Amino acid sequence: MGVKAPRYPRNSYAWVATDYAKKVVSGKIEACWQVRAACQRFLDDHDRDDIEFNTEYVDHACSFIEALPHVTGALAGQPINLEPFQVFFIANIFGWIVKATGLRRFREAMGLFPRGTGKSLIGAAIGVYMNFALGEQGAQGFSGATSMDQASAVFDPAKKMVEMTPDLVDALGLEVSARAIFQSHTGSSFKPVIAKTRDGGIPWISICDELHQAIDGTQLAAFRTGMGKRRGSDPLLLIITTAGFNLAGVCRQEQLYFEGVLAGTIRDDSKFAMIYTIDADDDWRDFRVWKKANPGFGVSVDEDHLRREYEKALQSPRSQTEMLTKYLNVWCNSASGWLNSVDWANAADPDLVIPSGVRAWLGVDLSTKTDLTAIVAVCLLADGRKAVVPHLFLPTGALDRSPNREAYTDWGASGVVHQTEGSASDHAAVEAKIRELCQTYNVQQVAFDAWQSATISQSLAADGISVVEFPQKAATMHPAMVDFEADLLNGQIVHPDNACLNWMASNISVTRRGAMMSPCRPTGQDHLKIDGMVAALMAHAISCVEPPPARADIALEFWD
């Protein structure tokens, strides 16, 4: 596809937005695939007959926002000067109109911006503009987050913008209180709200700041439901955030949906996104790729500051996690992560095919009554590599109670996770799958932790399947982790790119007792599951040891 779009008056806001898109698509501005896709979509959509790009609306929005002041730092009191990527973001939201209705095309917008790009400032400015400059009667604006402090990260700048512009207050008839901005003649308001609020309202604009911190999608669902009640108009849901740590959380799932729209795999003409990150094959250790994720590089984002963060990350894994999420928008584990995310990603093969009859070892991690159970097969391939193949189970009754329900629902629908009936783990289904795998592969051994496994292990052993007890303690898990990590680093492990197992690989952390380590969840985050990786470690460990003579009458302990 070529670089195309009508010509707009030079240096007009429409020209700035179009020029930015052309430079991204042509490669003059380096960008990740998501940004390239958004820019190509913008250029291509000028050829459509059902929508139009209204430059007057773009001018109105951008000029209003540039009349508002910065509220903090050295620029406090000076008018906002929008950078090209910010003009592009705002122009898309307010410029595209559906011809048949005259309403805005985009009802939801996501901005995944790294730290330092002024995302909260722009969110605040859009909030003031939407609520008080468009003449909407009874407009209800909300800045929402998991805490009042975070919700105030957008509301407080909006409040200060109003307070610092008395002419604006007079012109628009605004009143300001500690926790609200009002417009008396329209009955409009803008308030901060937290996720637990019962006040869903009928939002005209809902701004979700730092959605990556949300435990679940309750507030987002309330905003969407409320927007649906505002009929005959075009409300806006705006998500502005950085990346975070929970790959099964609501924010990551929202990002994946918006990426599906950008990639063309999901048809949803009401959604727009600018997602700044690095591409999957980029090496963050190459400082040149940092420009992809930082559109304000050298302007609003100081290059020297980024270089200091870069150098810090090279020296410290903990700093590396912080840097990747906040400056490169790469989703990472929140604690002192164990596996290198690049090594794990490089081991993925979505087209992996395991021949029947290959030698295999199974690790089984049985769940509590209401969560994931994992069977992982480690299969020895002809080229000497070991394939890590998960089979994951979740009772449908656990979905409503889990903070991971959005991801679990998607994974269940796509077959990534096997859903079982009821509200408790279905151990019969687990045993049936083990027996099926023993028929498919030449299974050498099946490893269980002793907890809750007696019934299944005894049943399997009675039928001649070699069962081994694998205690999940440092003495057994430490060598298992060392061997697994070494094989992953050396390219001896391959996996089928299962989204749920990838999530667990990003979650798994380390607890140490002296020189020994064992796997654990990130501290205080029990919703970040690691069951599949624990099962993988068990299976991989027994695959590295010559098994003892088979005995069907008892379960042998692994380290006997």
Side-chain angles (χ1 to χ4, degrees), residues 96-391:
W96 287 110
I97 305 300
V98 178
K99 288 183 179 180
T101 64
L103 300 177
R104 280 191 310 277
R105 165 195 184 183
F106 292 123
R107 302 300 182 91
E108 297 189 15
M110 182 179 202
L112 193 73
F113 297 117
R115 182 176 291 172
T117 50
K119 59 182 177 58
S120 295
L121 181 74
I122 296 302
I126 291 175
V128 173
Y129 176 70
M130 277 281 294
N131 275 290
F132 308 119
L134 295 181
E136 178 75 6
Q137 296 294 308
Q140 295 182 16
F142 298 108
S143 170
T146 57
S147 68
M148 186 55 68
D149 283 347
Q150 190 59 58
S152 297
V154 167
F155 174 77
D156 283 352
K159 177 186 171 186
K160 289 179 181 178
M161 287 174 183
V162 172
E163 292 173 334
M164 293 170 67
T165 51
D167 290 344
L168 181 69
V169 171
D170 292 339
L172 296 180
L174 303 181
E175 302 173 15
V176 180
S177 68
R179 283 285 177 259
I181 306 171
F182 296 98
Q183 190 175 47
S184 57
H185 67 279
T186 62
S188 299
S189 63
F190 188 36
K191 303 175 183 178
V193 293
I194 59 174
K196 294 181 181 179
T197 182
R198 294 179 180 271
D199 182 13
I202 307 176
W204 170 239
I205 179 170
S206 303
I207 302 174
C208 295
D209 189 30
E210 298 296 11
L211 186 63
H212 70 89
Q213 295 180 354
I215 296 175
D216 58 33
T218 301
Q219 186 177 71
L220 201 61
F223 284 158
R224 283 178 168 142
T225 300
M227 287 169 57
K229 300 174 185 177
R230 187 170 283 274
R231 301 187 179 185
S233 63
D234 41 9
L236 176 67
L237 173 64
L238 177 62
I239 299 170
I240 49 174
T241 185
T242 59
F245 306 124
N246 184 6
L247 275 76
V250 59
C251 186
R252 178 59 176 165
Q253 298 309 305
E254 288 293 320
Q255 180 182 335
L256 291 174
Y257 186 91
F258 278 94
E259 287 181 346
V261 174
L262 292 174
T265 57
I266 296 174
R267 294 181 60 86
D268 192 336
D269 212 39
S270 67
K271 288 183 170 59
F272 168 73
M274 291 297 287
I275 296 172
Y276 285 94
T277 182
I278 58 176
D279 289 312
D281 57 353
D282 285 333
D283 184 355
W284 70 265
R285 297 170 184 84
D286 181 356
F287 189 71
R288 291 174 296 180
V289 306
W290 283 45
K291 286 186 178 181
K292 283 187 176 182
N294 287 274
F297 189 94
V299 183
S300 60
V301 181
D302 182 66
E303 180 177 347
D304 289 339
H305 172 72
L306 287 182
R307 285 191 178 275
R308 287 192 296 271
E309 295 297 321
Y310 166 77
E311 295 293 339
K312 188 192 303 181
L314 290 175
Q315 304 299 322
S316 167
R318 188 175 293 274
S319 296
Q320 181 184 125
T321 298
E322 179 75 7
M323 177 276 298
L324 286 172
T325 55
K326 301 310 175 192
Y327 292 103
L328 298 182
N329 276 330
V330 174
W331 289 78
C332 298
N333 177 21
S334 62
S336 52
W338 171 50
L339 291 178
N340 183 291
S341 59
V342 174
D343 293 338
W344 181 258
N346 289 340
D349 181 0
D351 299 321
L352 181 66
V353 176
I354 310 297
S356 61
V358 299
R359 294 180 70 198
W361 297 259
L362 306 184
V364 183
D365 189 65
L366 293 173
S367 72
T368 59
K369 292 182 178 180
T370 59
D371 218 322
L372 285 162
T373 285
I375 305 170
V376 175
V378 168
C379 304
L380 184 62
L381 302 180
D383 60 7
R385 293 183 301 164
K386 292 180 177 179
V388 177
V389 183
H391 301 273

Side-chain angles (χ1 to χ4, degrees), residues 365-432:
D365 189 65
L366 293 173
S367 72
T368 59
K369 292 182 178 180
T370 59
D371 218 322
L372 285 162
T373 285
I375 305 170
V376 175
V378 168
C379 304
L380 184 62
L381 302 180
D383 60 7
R385 293 183 301 164
K386 292 180 177 179
V388 177
V389 183
H391 301 273
L392 307 168
F393 297 80
L394 181 74
T396 56
L399 293 177
D400 290 340
R401 297 187 297 275
S402 174
N404 304 321
R405 62 177 176 268
E406 287 86 3
Y408 285 172
T409 300
D410 288 346
W411 291 338
S414 63
V416 170
V417 171
H418 303 291
Q419 289 187 338
T420 57
E421 297 297 326
S423 58
S425 299
D426 188 344
H427 287 189
V430 173
E431 181 177 348

